Amino acid sequence: MPQLTRRQRHDQKIQRRSLVISGLSLVLVVFALYVLIPLAPGWQAVKTSFFNWDILVRTFPKLLSAFVVDLKIFLWSAPLIFVLSLSIALARNTNRPSLFPLRLFGALYTDLFRGVPVILLVYLIGFGIPGLGLARPYNSPYIWGTVALVLGYSAYVAEVFRAGIDSVHSSQIAASRSLGLSEGETLRYVVLPQAIRRQVPALMNFVIALLKDVALLSFIGPIEVLRQANVYKSLMANFTPYVGAAIIFLCVTIPITRYADYLMAKQRRQRIA
Amino acid sequence: MTAKLELKSVTKSFAQQKVVDDVSLTVATGEMVCLIGASGSGKSTLLRCVNLLEAIDDGEILLDGFDIAEPSLPPDPIRRRIGLVFQSFNLFPHLDVLSNITLAPCRVLGLEKSIARDQALDLLERFSLADKAYSYPDHLSGGQQQRVAIVRALAMEPELLLLDEITSALDPELIGEVLDVVRKLKAQQMTMLLATHEMSFAREIADTVCYLDRGRVVETGAPEQIFNDPVKQRTREFLARVSG
Ligand SMILES: Nc1ncnc2c1ncn2[C@@H]1O[C@H](COP(=O)(O)OP(=O)(O)O)[C@@H](O)[C@H]1O
Ligand SMILES: [Mg+2]
Protein backbone atom coordinates (compact mmCIF):
# COMPACT_ATOMS: atom_id res chain seq x y z
CA MET A 1 0.00 0.00 0.00
CA PRO A 2 1.40 3.41 -0.99
CA GLN A 3 2.34 5.76 1.79
CA LEU A 4 -0.33 8.48 2.14
CA THR A 5 0.56 12.08 2.79
CA ARG A 6 -0.63 13.80 5.94
CA ARG A 7 -3.22 15.69 3.91
CA GLN A 8 -4.53 12.53 2.21
CA ARG A 9 -4.92 10.74 5.56
CA HIS A 10 -6.81 13.70 6.94
CA ASP A 11 -9.12 13.93 3.89
CA GLN A 12 -9.76 10.22 4.04
CA LYS A 13 -10.78 10.39 7.68
CA ILE A 14 -13.20 13.24 6.99
CA GLN A 15 -14.63 11.47 3.98
CA ARG A 16 -15.22 8.29 5.94
CA ARG A 17 -16.89 10.18 8.74
CA SER A 18 -19.28 12.06 6.42
CA LEU A 19 -20.18 8.80 4.65
CA VAL A 20 -21.13 7.23 7.95
CA ILE A 21 -23.16 10.25 8.99
CA SER A 22 -25.09 10.53 5.74
CA GLY A 23 -25.73 6.77 5.67
CA LEU A 24 -27.06 6.78 9.22
CA SER A 25 -29.32 9.77 8.68
CA LEU A 26 -30.75 8.23 5.50
CA VAL A 27 -31.59 5.00 7.33
CA LEU A 28 -33.11 7.00 10.15
CA VAL A 29 -35.34 9.08 7.87
CA VAL A 30 -36.57 6.09 5.87
CA PHE A 31 -37.27 4.18 9.04
CA ALA A 32 -39.15 7.13 10.53
CA LEU A 33 -41.29 7.54 7.43
CA TYR A 34 -41.99 3.83 7.33
CA VAL A 35 -43.03 3.70 10.97
CA LEU A 36 -44.56 7.13 11.46
CA ILE A 37 -46.66 7.57 8.33
CA PRO A 38 -48.77 4.47 8.93
CA LEU A 39 -49.39 5.78 12.45
CA ALA A 40 -51.21 8.82 11.01
CA PRO A 41 -54.96 8.49 11.63
CA GLY A 42 -55.90 8.80 7.93
CA TRP A 43 -53.20 6.52 6.57
CA GLN A 44 -55.43 3.56 5.81
CA ALA A 45 -57.86 5.76 3.89
CA VAL A 46 -55.07 7.46 1.94
CA LYS A 47 -53.46 4.15 1.18
CA THR A 48 -56.59 2.64 -0.30
CA SER A 49 -57.59 5.73 -2.25
CA PHE A 50 -54.12 6.76 -3.61
CA PHE A 51 -51.99 3.64 -3.62
CA ASN A 52 -54.34 0.89 -4.67
CA TRP A 53 -52.23 -1.65 -6.51
CA ASP A 54 -55.18 -3.39 -8.25
CA ILE A 55 -56.51 -0.15 -9.65
CA LEU A 56 -53.05 0.95 -10.73
CA VAL A 57 -52.51 -2.26 -12.68
CA ARG A 58 -55.96 -2.11 -14.23
CA THR A 59 -55.81 1.56 -15.32
CA PHE A 60 -52.16 1.88 -16.23
CA PRO A 61 -52.29 0.59 -19.85
CA LYS A 62 -55.12 2.96 -20.76
CA LEU A 63 -53.29 5.86 -19.06
CA LEU A 64 -50.21 5.01 -21.01
CA SER A 65 -52.05 5.08 -24.32
CA ALA A 66 -53.67 8.38 -23.32
CA PHE A 67 -50.19 9.70 -22.67
CA VAL A 68 -49.42 9.14 -26.34
CA VAL A 69 -51.89 11.97 -27.00
CA ASP A 70 -49.83 14.24 -24.74
CA LEU A 71 -46.69 13.25 -26.59
CA LYS A 72 -48.31 13.97 -29.94
CA ILE A 73 -49.49 17.41 -28.88
CA PHE A 74 -46.03 18.05 -27.48
CA LEU A 75 -44.36 16.92 -30.69
CA TRP A 76 -46.26 19.27 -32.90
CA SER A 77 -46.18 22.18 -30.48
CA ALA A 78 -42.43 22.11 -29.92
CA PRO A 79 -41.31 22.83 -33.52
CA LEU A 80 -44.00 25.48 -33.92
CA ILE A 81 -42.79 27.16 -30.74
CA PHE A 82 -39.20 26.97 -31.98
CA VAL A 83 -40.04 28.70 -35.24
CA LEU A 84 -42.42 31.30 -33.82
CA SER A 85 -40.18 32.25 -30.89
CA LEU A 86 -37.12 32.52 -33.09
CA SER A 87 -39.04 34.78 -35.48
CA ILE A 88 -40.15 36.97 -32.62
CA ALA A 89 -36.64 37.16 -31.19
CA LEU A 90 -35.33 38.19 -34.61
CA ALA A 91 -38.13 40.72 -35.06
CA ARG A 92 -37.22 42.29 -31.74
CA ASN A 93 -33.57 42.45 -32.70
CA THR A 94 -33.92 44.26 -36.01
CA ASN A 95 -32.72 47.82 -36.03
CA ARG A 96 -33.71 48.78 -39.56
CA PRO A 97 -36.15 51.66 -39.48
CA SER A 98 -38.31 50.02 -42.13
CA LEU A 99 -38.83 47.03 -39.86
CA PHE A 100 -39.82 49.08 -36.83
CA PRO A 101 -43.44 47.85 -36.90
CA LEU A 102 -42.16 44.29 -36.72
CA ARG A 103 -40.06 45.19 -33.72
CA LEU A 104 -43.00 46.84 -32.02
CA PHE A 105 -45.13 43.80 -32.71
CA GLY A 106 -42.48 41.54 -31.18
CA ALA A 107 -42.33 43.64 -28.03
CA LEU A 108 -46.09 43.77 -27.68
CA TYR A 109 -46.36 40.06 -28.28
CA THR A 110 -43.91 39.10 -25.55
CA ASP A 111 -45.44 41.55 -23.08
CA LEU A 112 -48.94 40.30 -23.75
CA PHE A 113 -48.37 36.56 -23.72
CA ARG A 114 -45.84 36.49 -20.93
CA GLY A 115 -48.28 38.40 -18.76
CA VAL A 116 -51.12 35.87 -18.93
CA PRO A 117 -51.11 32.44 -17.22
CA VAL A 118 -50.93 29.66 -19.80
CA ILE A 119 -54.03 28.03 -18.34
CA LEU A 120 -55.99 31.22 -19.06
CA LEU A 121 -54.79 31.21 -22.66
CA VAL A 122 -55.93 27.61 -22.93
CA TYR A 123 -59.38 28.55 -21.67
CA LEU A 124 -59.73 31.73 -23.71
CA ILE A 125 -58.47 30.32 -26.98
CA GLY A 126 -59.62 26.74 -26.47
CA PHE A 127 -63.19 27.71 -25.65
CA GLY A 128 -63.36 31.09 -27.33
CA ILE A 129 -62.37 30.33 -30.88
CA PRO A 130 -64.35 27.10 -31.38
CA GLY A 131 -67.22 29.13 -29.90
CA LEU A 132 -67.19 31.22 -33.08
CA GLY A 133 -68.98 28.30 -34.70
CA LEU A 134 -66.23 27.13 -37.04
CA ALA A 135 -66.81 24.11 -39.28
CA ARG A 136 -65.84 20.68 -38.12
CA PRO A 137 -62.13 20.06 -38.28
CA TYR A 138 -61.44 23.69 -37.35
CA ASN A 139 -63.31 23.68 -34.08
CA SER A 140 -61.17 20.93 -32.60
CA PRO A 141 -59.87 21.59 -29.10
CA TYR A 142 -56.67 19.84 -30.19
CA ILE A 143 -55.96 22.62 -32.66
CA TRP A 144 -56.88 25.54 -30.44
CA GLY A 145 -55.37 24.05 -27.33
CA THR A 146 -52.11 23.64 -29.24
CA VAL A 147 -52.38 27.21 -30.50
CA ALA A 148 -52.75 28.43 -26.92
CA LEU A 149 -49.66 26.51 -25.81
CA VAL A 150 -47.65 27.70 -28.80
CA LEU A 151 -48.60 31.35 -28.29
CA GLY A 152 -47.87 31.28 -24.58
CA TYR A 153 -44.60 29.37 -24.74
CA SER A 154 -43.26 31.31 -27.71
CA ALA A 155 -43.31 34.50 -25.67
CA TYR A 156 -40.97 32.96 -23.09
CA VAL A 157 -38.77 31.08 -25.49
CA ALA A 158 -38.35 34.19 -27.66
CA GLU A 159 -36.71 35.88 -24.67
CA VAL A 160 -34.35 32.94 -24.30
CA PHE A 161 -33.31 33.26 -27.94
CA ARG A 162 -32.96 37.01 -27.61
CA ALA A 163 -30.65 36.65 -24.63
CA GLY A 164 -28.64 34.10 -26.63
CA ILE A 165 -28.32 36.43 -29.60
CA ASP A 166 -27.25 39.30 -27.34
CA SER A 167 -24.61 37.09 -25.74
CA VAL A 168 -22.70 36.65 -29.02
CA HIS A 169 -19.89 39.18 -28.88
CA SER A 170 -19.84 41.97 -31.46
CA SER A 171 -16.31 40.96 -32.49
CA GLN A 172 -17.81 37.78 -33.96
CA ILE A 173 -20.08 39.89 -36.11
CA ALA A 174 -17.18 42.12 -37.14
CA ALA A 175 -15.14 39.06 -38.13
CA SER A 176 -17.98 37.71 -40.23
CA ARG A 177 -18.75 41.02 -41.94
CA SER A 178 -15.06 41.61 -42.64
CA LEU A 179 -15.07 38.38 -44.66
CA GLY A 180 -17.83 39.79 -46.81
CA LEU A 181 -20.77 37.91 -45.32
CA SER A 182 -23.96 39.94 -45.38
CA GLU A 183 -26.03 40.79 -42.32
CA GLY A 184 -28.38 37.88 -42.97
CA GLU A 185 -25.57 35.40 -43.63
CA THR A 186 -23.81 36.55 -40.47
CA LEU A 187 -26.97 35.96 -38.48
CA ARG A 188 -27.54 32.56 -39.99
CA TYR A 189 -24.03 31.11 -39.99
CA VAL A 190 -22.30 32.90 -37.14
CA VAL A 191 -24.69 34.40 -34.61
CA LEU A 192 -27.61 31.97 -34.41
CA PRO A 193 -25.60 28.75 -34.18
CA GLN A 194 -23.69 30.16 -31.23
CA ALA A 195 -26.77 31.72 -29.63
CA ILE A 196 -28.84 28.55 -29.83
CA ARG A 197 -26.04 26.30 -28.65
CA ARG A 198 -25.49 28.50 -25.64
CA GLN A 199 -29.18 28.36 -24.73
CA VAL A 200 -29.70 24.62 -25.05
CA PRO A 201 -29.87 24.04 -21.28
CA ALA A 202 -32.43 26.82 -20.86
CA LEU A 203 -34.41 25.47 -23.79
CA MET A 204 -34.39 22.00 -22.23
CA ASN A 205 -36.15 23.42 -19.20
CA PHE A 206 -38.88 24.72 -21.47
CA VAL A 207 -39.13 21.30 -23.08
CA ILE A 208 -39.82 19.80 -19.66
CA ALA A 209 -42.31 22.52 -18.74
CA LEU A 210 -44.14 22.17 -22.03
CA LEU A 211 -44.36 18.42 -21.68
CA LYS A 212 -46.12 18.88 -18.35
CA ASP A 213 -48.29 21.78 -19.48
CA VAL A 214 -49.80 19.72 -22.28
CA ALA A 215 -51.92 18.29 -19.44
CA LEU A 216 -53.59 21.71 -19.18
CA LEU A 217 -55.49 20.82 -22.35
CA SER A 218 -57.41 18.25 -20.29
CA PHE A 219 -59.60 21.18 -19.22
CA ILE A 220 -60.88 21.81 -22.73
CA GLY A 221 -61.47 18.35 -24.12
CA PRO A 222 -58.66 16.18 -25.48
CA ILE A 223 -58.58 12.79 -23.79
CA GLU A 224 -54.98 12.92 -22.73
CA VAL A 225 -53.49 11.30 -19.70
CA LEU A 226 -54.78 13.68 -17.03
CA ARG A 227 -58.32 13.63 -18.42
CA GLN A 228 -58.17 9.85 -18.66
CA ALA A 229 -57.10 9.71 -15.02
CA ASN A 230 -60.00 12.01 -14.20
CA VAL A 231 -62.41 9.65 -15.91
CA TYR A 232 -61.04 6.70 -13.94
CA LYS A 233 -61.16 8.63 -10.70
CA SER A 234 -64.86 9.31 -11.14
CA LEU A 235 -65.53 5.78 -12.34
CA MET A 236 -63.71 4.03 -9.52
CA ALA A 237 -64.01 6.66 -6.80
CA ASN A 238 -60.25 6.29 -6.31
CA PHE A 239 -57.29 8.62 -6.77
CA THR A 240 -54.74 5.98 -7.73
CA PRO A 241 -55.01 6.82 -11.48
CA TYR A 242 -53.57 10.26 -10.66
CA VAL A 243 -50.57 8.59 -9.09
CA GLY A 244 -50.30 6.47 -12.23
CA ALA A 245 -50.33 9.59 -14.39
CA ALA A 246 -47.67 11.19 -12.18
CA ILE A 247 -45.48 8.10 -12.55
CA ILE A 248 -45.77 8.27 -16.33
CA PHE A 249 -44.78 11.94 -16.37
CA LEU A 250 -41.83 11.31 -14.08
CA CYS A 251 -40.55 8.48 -16.26
CA VAL A 252 -40.19 10.98 -19.09
CA THR A 253 -39.29 14.19 -17.28
CA ILE A 254 -36.65 12.88 -14.89
CA PRO A 255 -34.28 11.68 -17.63
CA ILE A 256 -34.72 14.97 -19.51
CA THR A 257 -34.11 16.95 -16.33
CA ARG A 258 -30.97 14.97 -15.58
CA TYR A 259 -29.78 15.47 -19.14
CA ALA A 260 -30.44 19.23 -18.94
CA ASP A 261 -28.47 19.42 -15.68
CA TYR A 262 -25.66 17.47 -17.28
CA LEU A 263 -25.55 19.89 -20.21
CA MET A 264 -25.63 22.86 -17.87
CA ALA A 265 -22.74 21.49 -15.81
CA LYS A 266 -20.78 20.73 -18.96
CA GLN A 267 -21.23 24.27 -20.23
CA ARG A 268 -20.18 25.71 -16.90
CA ARG A 269 -17.04 23.60 -17.00
CA GLN A 270 -16.28 24.76 -20.54
CA ARG A 271 -16.72 28.38 -19.59
CA ILE A 272 -14.23 27.98 -16.76
CA ALA A 273 -11.72 26.05 -18.89
CA MET B 1 4.05 51.56 -58.51
CA THR B 2 0.31 52.13 -58.45
CA ALA B 3 -1.60 52.89 -55.28
CA LYS B 4 -3.72 50.01 -54.06
CA LEU B 5 -5.13 52.06 -51.22
CA GLU B 6 -5.18 55.79 -50.82
CA LEU B 7 -6.68 57.61 -47.85
CA LYS B 8 -7.51 61.27 -48.34
CA SER B 9 -8.28 63.39 -45.28
CA VAL B 10 -10.16 60.59 -43.56
CA THR B 11 -11.95 61.71 -40.41
CA LYS B 12 -13.92 59.67 -37.92
CA SER B 13 -15.38 60.77 -34.59
CA PHE B 14 -17.02 58.93 -31.74
CA ALA B 15 -19.20 61.30 -29.73
CA GLN B 16 -17.31 64.56 -30.38
CA GLN B 17 -13.92 62.87 -30.01
CA LYS B 18 -11.98 62.85 -33.29
CA VAL B 19 -10.48 59.37 -33.25
CA VAL B 20 -9.17 59.56 -36.82
CA ASP B 21 -8.34 63.11 -37.75
CA ASP B 22 -7.56 64.17 -41.31
CA VAL B 23 -5.50 61.08 -42.13
CA SER B 24 -3.96 60.81 -45.58
CA LEU B 25 -1.93 57.75 -46.46
CA THR B 26 -0.99 55.65 -49.48
CA VAL B 27 -0.33 51.94 -49.71
CA ALA B 28 1.14 50.91 -53.06
CA THR B 29 0.48 47.53 -54.61
CA GLY B 30 2.76 45.00 -52.95
CA GLU B 31 3.77 47.46 -50.28
CA MET B 32 3.80 46.88 -46.53
CA VAL B 33 2.87 49.91 -44.47
CA CYS B 34 3.13 49.79 -40.67
CA LEU B 35 1.06 52.00 -38.41
CA ILE B 36 2.70 52.71 -35.09
CA GLY B 37 1.42 54.79 -32.23
CA ALA B 38 0.40 54.67 -28.60
CA SER B 39 -2.62 52.67 -27.59
CA GLY B 40 -5.72 54.77 -28.19
CA SER B 41 -4.16 56.68 -31.06
CA GLY B 42 -6.76 55.37 -33.51
CA LYS B 43 -4.94 52.56 -35.34
CA SER B 44 -7.72 49.99 -34.96
CA THR B 45 -10.39 52.50 -35.86
CA LEU B 46 -8.50 53.48 -39.00
CA LEU B 47 -8.26 49.84 -40.11
CA ARG B 48 -11.94 49.27 -39.35
CA CYS B 49 -12.78 52.32 -41.45
CA VAL B 50 -10.80 50.97 -44.39
CA ASN B 51 -12.77 47.71 -44.12
CA LEU B 52 -16.02 49.72 -43.89
CA LEU B 53 -16.80 48.26 -40.47
CA GLU B 54 -16.98 51.89 -39.36
CA ALA B 55 -18.45 54.59 -41.58
CA ILE B 56 -16.15 57.57 -41.92
CA ASP B 57 -17.43 61.10 -41.37
CA ASP B 58 -15.39 62.78 -44.04
CA GLY B 59 -12.67 62.15 -46.61
CA GLU B 60 -12.11 59.50 -49.27
CA ILE B 61 -10.90 55.92 -49.20
CA LEU B 62 -9.71 54.96 -52.67
CA LEU B 63 -9.25 51.30 -53.51
CA ASP B 64 -7.66 51.06 -56.94
CA GLY B 65 -8.59 54.70 -57.34
CA PHE B 66 -12.25 54.07 -56.65
CA ASP B 67 -13.87 55.73 -53.63
CA ILE B 68 -15.25 52.90 -51.48
CA ALA B 69 -16.35 55.30 -48.73
CA GLU B 70 -19.20 56.51 -50.94
CA PRO B 71 -22.16 56.03 -48.55
CA SER B 72 -24.54 54.80 -51.24
CA LEU B 73 -22.33 51.81 -52.15
CA PRO B 74 -23.22 48.39 -50.76
CA PRO B 75 -20.29 47.45 -48.49
CA ASP B 76 -20.29 43.65 -48.78
CA PRO B 77 -18.74 43.33 -52.27
CA ILE B 78 -15.96 45.69 -51.17
CA ARG B 79 -15.28 43.98 -47.85
CA ARG B 80 -14.65 40.65 -49.51
CA ARG B 81 -11.74 42.25 -51.39
CA ILE B 82 -10.09 43.43 -48.15
CA GLY B 83 -8.98 41.01 -45.46
CA LEU B 84 -8.89 42.00 -41.79
CA VAL B 85 -7.16 40.09 -39.01
CA PHE B 86 -7.97 41.09 -35.44
CA GLN B 87 -5.94 41.33 -32.28
CA SER B 88 -8.29 38.85 -30.59
CA PHE B 89 -8.38 36.35 -33.52
CA ASN B 90 -12.20 36.20 -33.54
CA LEU B 91 -12.37 32.69 -34.95
CA PHE B 92 -15.87 31.20 -34.98
CA PRO B 93 -15.87 28.89 -31.95
CA HIS B 94 -18.71 26.68 -33.20
CA LEU B 95 -16.87 25.74 -36.41
CA ASP B 96 -13.74 23.67 -36.86
CA VAL B 97 -10.69 25.20 -38.50
CA LEU B 98 -11.60 24.01 -41.98
CA SER B 99 -15.16 25.36 -41.74
CA ASN B 100 -13.89 28.64 -40.32
CA ILE B 101 -11.84 29.01 -43.47
CA THR B 102 -14.36 27.76 -46.03
CA LEU B 103 -17.44 29.58 -44.69
CA ALA B 104 -16.89 32.82 -46.59
CA PRO B 105 -15.55 31.30 -49.84
CA CYS B 106 -18.60 29.01 -49.97
CA ARG B 107 -21.25 31.52 -48.94
CA VAL B 108 -19.84 34.72 -50.39
CA LEU B 109 -17.92 33.61 -53.47
CA GLY B 110 -20.23 30.67 -54.11
CA LEU B 111 -17.34 28.23 -54.34
CA GLU B 112 -18.22 24.57 -54.38
CA LYS B 113 -17.59 22.93 -51.04
CA SER B 114 -15.01 20.44 -52.27
CA ILE B 115 -13.05 23.14 -54.08
CA ALA B 116 -13.10 25.45 -51.07
CA ARG B 117 -11.89 22.60 -48.86
CA ASP B 118 -9.02 21.74 -51.15
CA GLN B 119 -7.99 25.38 -51.26
CA ALA B 120 -8.21 25.68 -47.49
CA LEU B 121 -6.17 22.51 -46.99
CA ASP B 122 -3.52 23.87 -49.37
CA LEU B 123 -3.32 27.09 -47.39
CA LEU B 124 -3.16 25.23 -44.08
CA GLU B 125 -0.38 23.09 -45.52
CA ARG B 126 1.56 26.17 -46.55
CA PHE B 127 1.38 27.60 -43.05
CA SER B 128 2.12 24.28 -41.30
CA LEU B 129 -1.38 23.92 -39.91
CA ALA B 130 -2.55 20.90 -41.90
CA ASP B 131 -2.87 18.71 -38.82
CA LYS B 132 -5.26 21.23 -37.22
CA ALA B 133 -7.85 21.21 -40.02
CA TYR B 134 -10.44 19.41 -37.94
CA SER B 135 -9.64 20.96 -34.56
CA TYR B 136 -11.89 23.52 -32.91
CA PRO B 137 -10.45 26.96 -32.11
CA ASP B 138 -10.69 26.35 -28.34
CA HIS B 139 -8.22 23.51 -28.68
CA LEU B 140 -5.53 25.58 -30.39
CA SER B 141 -2.82 27.76 -28.88
CA GLY B 142 -3.11 31.51 -29.36
CA GLY B 143 -0.41 31.46 -32.00
CA GLN B 144 -2.17 28.71 -33.94
CA GLN B 145 -5.50 30.52 -33.67
CA GLN B 146 -4.01 33.68 -35.05
CA ARG B 147 -2.37 31.82 -37.92
CA VAL B 148 -5.73 30.21 -38.72
CA ALA B 149 -7.32 33.66 -38.63
CA ILE B 150 -4.78 34.86 -41.18
CA VAL B 151 -5.44 31.83 -43.37
CA ARG B 152 -9.17 32.49 -43.08
CA ALA B 153 -8.64 36.01 -44.42
CA LEU B 154 -6.31 34.73 -47.17
CA ALA B 155 -8.88 32.19 -48.36
CA MET B 156 -10.89 35.08 -49.77
CA GLU B 157 -7.83 36.04 -51.85
CA PRO B 158 -7.91 39.64 -50.67
CA GLU B 159 -6.20 42.36 -52.66
CA LEU B 160 -5.32 44.10 -49.43
CA LEU B 161 -4.72 42.64 -45.99
CA LEU B 162 -5.26 44.67 -42.83
CA LEU B 163 -3.56 43.34 -39.71
CA ASP B 164 -4.49 44.87 -36.36
CA GLU B 165 -1.90 44.21 -33.63
CA ILE B 166 -2.08 40.55 -34.43
CA THR B 167 0.54 39.60 -31.84
CA SER B 168 -0.60 41.76 -28.92
CA ALA B 169 -2.76 39.06 -27.35
CA LEU B 170 -0.07 36.39 -27.57
CA ASP B 171 2.40 35.02 -25.06
CA PRO B 172 5.91 36.13 -26.02
CA GLU B 173 7.02 32.66 -27.12
CA LEU B 174 4.14 32.46 -29.64
CA ILE B 175 4.76 35.79 -31.36
CA GLY B 176 7.50 34.46 -33.61
CA GLU B 177 5.37 31.91 -35.45
CA VAL B 178 2.79 34.57 -36.33
CA LEU B 179 5.40 37.08 -37.47
CA ASP B 180 6.88 34.35 -39.67
CA VAL B 181 3.55 34.12 -41.47
CA VAL B 182 3.64 37.85 -42.12
CA ARG B 183 7.22 37.58 -43.42
CA LYS B 184 6.04 34.87 -45.80
CA LEU B 185 3.20 37.05 -47.06
CA LYS B 186 5.59 39.92 -47.55
CA ALA B 187 7.84 37.68 -49.64
CA GLN B 188 4.79 36.95 -51.80
CA GLN B 189 4.23 40.69 -52.31
CA MET B 190 0.94 40.79 -50.45
CA THR B 191 -0.25 44.38 -50.03
CA MET B 192 -0.55 44.96 -46.30
CA LEU B 193 -1.44 47.67 -43.81
CA LEU B 194 -0.40 46.60 -40.35
CA ALA B 195 -0.84 48.20 -36.95
CA THR B 196 1.77 47.02 -34.50
CA HIS B 197 3.41 47.44 -31.13
CA GLU B 198 6.44 45.47 -32.25
CA MET B 199 8.84 48.23 -33.20
CA SER B 200 11.64 45.89 -34.14
CA PHE B 201 9.32 44.00 -36.45
CA ALA B 202 8.08 47.20 -38.08
CA ARG B 203 11.64 48.26 -38.60
CA GLU B 204 12.55 44.92 -40.14
CA ILE B 205 9.62 44.42 -42.47
CA ALA B 206 7.94 47.74 -43.30
CA ASP B 207 8.44 49.55 -46.57
CA THR B 208 6.84 52.59 -45.01
CA VAL B 209 6.17 53.46 -41.37
CA CYS B 210 3.46 55.86 -40.33
CA TYR B 211 3.33 57.29 -36.82
CA LEU B 212 -0.12 58.18 -35.53
CA ASP B 213 -0.80 60.31 -32.48
CA ARG B 214 -4.30 61.11 -31.24
CA GLY B 215 -5.77 60.26 -34.62
CA ARG B 216 -3.38 62.39 -36.67
CA VAL B 217 -0.50 61.31 -38.87
CA VAL B 218 2.59 62.87 -37.34
CA GLU B 219 5.21 61.48 -39.64
CA THR B 220 5.48 59.03 -42.53
CA GLY B 221 8.66 57.65 -44.01
CA ALA B 222 10.98 54.74 -44.63
CA PRO B 223 11.69 52.72 -41.48
CA GLU B 224 15.37 53.72 -41.32
CA GLN B 225 14.39 57.35 -41.43
CA ILE B 226 11.57 57.11 -38.86
CA PHE B 227 13.52 54.99 -36.39
CA ASN B 228 17.01 56.47 -36.83
CA ASP B 229 16.33 60.01 -37.75
CA PRO B 230 12.79 61.17 -37.04
CA VAL B 231 11.98 64.65 -38.18
CA LYS B 232 9.30 65.42 -35.62
CA GLN B 233 9.94 65.91 -31.92
CA ARG B 234 6.79 63.92 -31.03
CA THR B 235 7.99 60.90 -33.00
CA ARG B 236 11.31 61.02 -31.21
CA GLU B 237 9.58 61.18 -27.81
CA PHE B 238 7.28 58.27 -28.68
CA LEU B 239 10.17 56.09 -29.86
CA ALA B 240 12.15 56.92 -26.74
CA ARG B 241 9.14 55.91 -24.63
CA VAL B 242 8.55 52.57 -26.31
CA SER B 243 12.19 51.59 -26.50
CA GLY B 244 12.92 52.93 -23.04
N1 LIG C 1 -16.91 52.07 -30.93
C1 LIG C 1 -16.33 53.08 -30.25
N2 LIG C 1 -17.10 53.97 -29.59
C2 LIG C 1 -16.53 54.99 -28.90
N3 LIG C 1 -15.21 55.20 -28.83
C3 LIG C 1 -14.39 54.35 -29.46
C4 LIG C 1 -14.91 53.24 -30.20
N4 LIG C 1 -13.86 52.56 -30.73
C5 LIG C 1 -12.75 53.22 -30.33
N5 LIG C 1 -13.06 54.28 -29.57
C6 LIG C 1 -12.10 55.25 -29.00
O1 LIG C 1 -11.28 55.66 -30.03
C7 LIG C 1 -9.94 55.85 -29.57
C8 LIG C 1 -8.99 55.09 -30.47
O2 LIG C 1 -9.18 53.70 -30.29
P1 LIG C 1 -8.44 52.62 -31.19
O3 LIG C 1 -8.75 52.89 -32.60
O4 LIG C 1 -8.82 51.29 -30.66
O5 LIG C 1 -6.92 52.92 -30.91
P2 LIG C 1 -5.66 51.94 -31.00
O6 LIG C 1 -6.05 50.77 -31.85
O7 LIG C 1 -4.60 52.79 -31.61
O8 LIG C 1 -5.32 51.55 -29.62
C9 LIG C 1 -9.92 55.41 -28.15
O9 LIG C 1 -9.96 56.53 -27.32
C10 LIG C 1 -11.18 54.60 -27.98
O10 LIG C 1 -11.68 54.73 -26.68
MG1 LIG D 1 -6.05 48.76 -31.37
Side-chain angles (χ1 to χ4, degrees), chain A residues 10-28:
Chain A
H10 175 80
D11 289 351
Q12 214 174 45
K13 203 167 91 190
I14 290 192
Q15 204 180 10
R16 235 179 262 144
R17 195 188 306 157
S18 53
L19 263 178
V20 168
I21 291 174
S22 54
L24 273 179
S25 59
L26 184 67
V27 168
L28 216 67

Side-chain angles (χ1 to χ4, degrees), chain A residues 171-183 185 188-191 193-194 197-198, chain B residues 48 51 53 76 79-80 82 84 86 90-95 103-104 107-108 152-153 156:
Chain A
S171 63
Q172 286 286 308
I173 297 167
S176 173
R177 299 307 298 274
S178 81
L179 289 165
L181 278 88
S182 67
E183 203 177 332
E185 288 164 338
R188 173 153 171 223
Y189 299 113
V190 176
V191 176
Q194 293 184 57
R197 221 160 289 207
R198 225 168 274 179
Chain B
R48 290 169 65 89
N51 203 29
L53 286 174
D76 295 331
R79 284 207 192 95
R80 75 182 68 152
I82 304 175
L84 174 58
F86 301 84
N90 301 355
L91 293 176
F92 306 130
H94 61 297
L95 299 177
L103 177 65
R107 300 296 166 193
V108 178
R152 181 174 71 176
M156 290 296 284

Side-chain angles (χ1 to χ4, degrees), chain A residues 31-228:
Chain A
F31 179 76
L33 289 177
Y34 189 75
V35 171
L36 292 179
I37 290 181
L39 287 182
W43 170 241
Q44 274 314 316
V46 168
K47 197 171 145 189
T48 44
S49 57
F50 281 88
F51 301 104
N52 188 320
W53 181 252
D54 279 346
I55 289 182
L56 185 66
V57 171
R58 256 197 298 155
T59 57
F60 202 75
K62 250 319 209 349
L63 288 176
L64 210 54
S65 62
F67 186 66
V68 173
V69 175
D70 291 72
L71 285 182
K72 276 187 187 155
I73 295 174
F74 167 80
L75 286 178
W76 5 293
S77 308
L80 289 174
I81 291 169
F82 186 88
V83 171
L84 181 61
S85 56
L86 197 54
S87 316
I88 290 172
L90 292 177
R92 292 199 68 175
N93 264 47
T94 56
N95 42 19
R96 280 197 215 153
S98 59
L99 296 179
F100 177 75
L102 211 60
R103 189 173 170 162
L104 189 70
F105 169 80
L108 284 177
Y109 180 95
T110 33
D111 282 356
L112 192 65
F113 285 98
R114 273 201 310 172
V116 179
V118 177
I119 180 69
L120 251 174
L121 290 177
V122 170
Y123 273 129
L124 288 175
I125 297 173
F127 285 133
I129 293 185
L132 294 174
L134 300 174
R136 226 177 149 289
Y138 302 110
N139 61 3
S140 150
Y142 289 88
I143 295 180
W144 297 108
T146 306
V147 167
L149 284 178
V150 169
L151 290 178
Y153 267 76
S154 294
Y156 288 98
V157 177
E159 291 302 286
V160 174
F161 281 130
R162 207 156 71 99
I165 291 170
D166 285 346
S167 77
V168 177
H169 198 262
S170 62
S171 63
Q172 286 286 308
I173 297 167
S176 173
R177 299 307 298 274
S178 81
L179 289 165
L181 278 88
S182 67
E183 203 177 332
E185 288 164 338
T186 298
L187 192 65
R188 173 153 171 223
Y189 299 113
V190 176
V191 176
L192 284 183
Q194 293 184 57
I196 293 173
R197 221 160 289 207
R198 225 168 274 179
Q199 296 298 48
V200 162
L203 293 173
M204 294 290 281
N205 284 328
F206 279 100
V207 163
I208 297 161
L210 175 65
L211 199 53
K212 292 183 297 177
D213 277 353
V214 170
L216 293 176
L217 299 201
S218 65
F219 293 112
I220 60 165
I223 309 290
E224 50 69 66
V225 64
L226 181 54
R227 196 167 179 103
Q228 183 68 59

Side-chain angles (χ1 to χ4, degrees), chain B residues 215-235:
Chain B
R216 297 188 73 98
V217 176
V218 176
E219 192 168 353
T220 305
E224 307 79 48
Q225 184 254 307
I226 297 282
F227 287 106
N228 298 336
D229 188 21
V231 175
K232 296 278 165 56
Q233 180 63 25
R234 265 150 74 200
T235 315

Side-chain angles (χ1 to χ4, degrees), chain B residues 14-15 17 19-20 37-46 48 54 87 164-165 195 212:
Chain B
F14 289 116
Q17 184 201 0
V19 173
V20 176
S39 142
S41 58
K43 304 182 295 294
S44 299
T45 305
L46 185 62
R48 290 169 65 89
E54 304 284 356
Q87 182 174 346
D164 188 6
E165 302 214 15
L212 275 185

